[in-house]
Amino acid sequence: MVDPTSELEEDVDEESAPRCATCGEPALGTGRRTVTWVDGDDAVHRQFCSESCRADWDDERPAADG
């Protein structure tokens, strides 16, 4: 399956797809959501299979200082 959210139009199958951080299902297709943040020198990513799973996620990002 060609992932329509991939800028490179890579073939992604269910086995190699990232897993949803909430339910563990493959995060594929147009419903996929990604949250990215910087932790020190690292970029951290969480993938979600849908907006619903994104909304149900226990947000682990550090609180912003300010």
Side-chain angles (χ1 to χ4, degrees):
M1 156 180 213
V2 174
D3 185 351
T5 62
S6 172
E7 292 179 17
L8 301 175
E9 298 182 10
E10 298 170 338
D11 287 340
V12 178
D13 60 21
E14 288 191 17
E15 289 182 19
S16 62
R19 297 291 162 179
C20 177
T22 301
C23 72
E25 292 295 317
L28 289 168
T30 58
R32 186 177 99 196
R33 300 290 180 260
T34 303
V35 174
T36 304
W37 68 97
V38 175
D39 184 13
D41 291 334
D42 299 318
V44 182
H45 310 277
R46 295 294 178 263
Q47 306 286 336
F48 304 94
C49 63
S50 66
E51 184 60 38
S52 175
C53 277
R54 162 63 182 95
D56 290 345
W57 174 52
D58 290 330
D59 196 333
E60 65 197 81
R61 294 175 291 180
D65 295 332

